[in-house]
Amino acid sequence: MRIAVTGSNGFIGKAIVAELLHQEHEICLLVRNQKQEQWPEVSTYLYDSSVFDSEIELKNWKPDVFFHLAWRGVNSGDRNSEENKLYNIQLALDSVKLAYTAGCTQWIGCGSQAEYGIKNFCISESELCNPTTDYGKTKQMVCKNAEELCIQHGLNYTWARIFSVYGPGDHASTFISYLFDSMLKNKAPQVSSCSQLWDYLFIEDAAKALVALINKNGIYNIASGKTIELKQVVEQIADLTNYNEIIGWNSKPNGELNHLCGNIDKIKKNSAWQPNVTLEAGLSKTLNYFLKK
């Protein structure tokens, strides 16, 4: 199958490209500039919001499925700026139009658990969304508008709500990356009470789940479906890194969200996917990545 992908330079994007190649799909990448990381095995075309430099090339390439993962500002700390919000909405909707023009039969977009808002229980896809952050509100707006546009153009529409994904190459500001970095440098991590129950999914499992959504329609949670107390995550990473120094418990507030879990019955029922990498195994792989940096 031929797959077009935006956002291939991101944490999840890289993992999806690797999984698509592993499954022997043909891939083309739509990138915003040529300085982004390139994959020698695939074609690369320039693509930006409202500028279809790649329209003719992509149409000639004849993709079947369009994965839209691009999202500006994720790692720069200004993803909630008004400029980036408008850009990301327009980029997503333009990608639907491009998918239609290029002859795709399916458009797959990536959302977030932030669309649900603060629920503090295991969340299924039928749960009413009530986002409390600008990021969640923007993702929810894209979810609704992209669905309407897909329906107008006769495209199969799929929306993946991604929960907490971790692993090698994740952004340094995420909780697990921060813990590894701090403990390997023998610096005391500053954390909350870590009494929260959290749903963590390893990046390789997340990529397999997203690829499993090919030929599936509707909204799907991408999560592990299980929770672990964050304190246990801190202690496991301390054991893995042989960190025996002080941990700054209660130096940060817990926040309103104290139970994050995604119900994954729908994707398990409609595909052969299920999580395979245990947290212990995933953390060990993440440690190896940090040791090689």
Side-chain angles (χ1 to χ4, degrees):
M1 188 171 285
R2 291 194 157 191
I3 317 289
V5 181
T6 70
S8 60
N9 203 46
F11 174 51
I12 295 175
K14 290 177 182 178
I16 285 182
V17 173
E19 181 60 29
L20 288 169
L21 289 173
H22 176 71
Q23 294 190 23
E24 299 184 344
H25 291 287
E26 293 183 67
I27 311 167
C28 76
L29 308 181
L30 305 179
V31 299
R32 285 176 283 205
N33 62 72
Q34 294 289 11
K35 294 180 181 179
Q36 291 181 208
E37 184 175 329
Q38 303 291 309
W39 295 74
E41 306 98 322
V42 300
S43 303
T44 304
Y45 304 128
L46 282 175
Y47 170 62
D48 206 340
S49 181
S50 301
V51 183
F52 295 144
D53 293 339
S54 57
E55 183 173 345
I56 296 175
E57 294 95 329
L58 192 62
K59 189 173 182 179
N60 290 338
W61 194 73
K62 298 180 180 179
D64 303 295
V65 177
F66 196 111
F67 267 102
H68 179 64
L69 291 93
W71 197 266
R72 192 168 74 179
V74 173
N75 295 334
S76 63
D78 63 347
R79 70 182 182 184
N80 292 328
S81 71
E82 192 63 26
E83 178 185 355
N84 278 344
K85 284 192 289 184
L86 293 174
Y87 176 91
N88 286 323
I89 293 169
Q90 189 63 52
L91 184 68
L93 298 181
D94 285 344
S95 75
V96 174
K97 297 173 186 176
L98 182 57
Y100 168 73
T101 302
C104 293
T105 58
Q106 182 184 19
W107 182 89
I108 304 175
C110 284
S112 167
Q113 54 82 19
E115 294 174 68
Y116 290 116
I118 299 171
K119 301 296 182 181
N120 287 319
F121 54 78
C122 192
I123 308 168
S124 66
E125 293 87 349
S126 61
E127 185 64 32
L128 182 67
C129 287
N130 185 26
T132 58
T133 65
D134 285 340
Y135 178 69
K137 291 174 183 177
T138 305
K139 283 289 189 180
Q140 177 64 183
M141 187 177 299
V142 171
C143 171
K144 292 179 178 180
N145 291 345
E147 180 180 22
E148 292 176 1
L149 200 55
C150 282
I151 292 171
Q152 289 177 24
H153 290 305
L155 283 169
N156 291 330
Y157 166 81
T158 311
W159 186 253
R161 290 207 176 114
I162 300 173
F163 282 64
S164 293
V165 174
Y166 74 99
D170 198 3
H171 192 251
S173 65
T174 60
F175 186 62
I176 287 178
S177 294
Y178 167 71
L179 291 173
F180 271 113
D181 185 65
S182 297
M183 292 180 182
L184 286 170
K185 292 177 179 177
N186 218 34
K187 296 180 179 178
Q190 304 301 300
V191 296
S192 68
S193 70
C194 290
S195 59
Q196 303 96 319
L197 297 176
W198 221 254
D199 185 323
Y200 275 116
L201 182 67
F202 189 61
I203 183 62
E204 291 175 6
D205 276 338
K208 286 180 170 61
L210 286 162
V211 175
L213 294 182
I214 292 174
N215 294 327
K216 306 293 187 296
N217 295 325
I219 296 172
Y220 287 84
N221 288 338
I222 305 298
S224 74
K226 299 178 180 179
T227 60
I228 184 171
E229 188 179 24
L230 288 182
K231 186 174 182 179
Q232 294 181 48
V233 176
V234 176
E235 291 169 345
Q236 285 188 41
I237 294 175
D239 287 341
L240 283 170
T241 57
N242 296 314
Y243 179 80
N244 299 307
E245 304 301 322
I246 294 172
I247 294 174
W249 301 111
N250 297 304
S251 57
K252 291 188 176 181
N254 283 336
E256 294 181 83
L257 186 58
N258 55 55
H259 185 152
L260 180 67
C261 182
N263 183 304
I264 55 173
D265 288 348
K266 184 176 180 179
I267 189 172
K268 289 170 68 176
K269 178 182 178 181
N270 294 331
S271 76
W273 178 84
Q274 62 179 359
N276 288 314
V277 182
T278 64
L279 183 65
E280 292 78 10
L283 291 177
S284 293
K285 290 184 178 184
T286 306
L287 171 62
N288 290 335
Y289 166 80
F290 273 91
L291 292 176
K292 292 176 182 177
K293 285 180 68 176

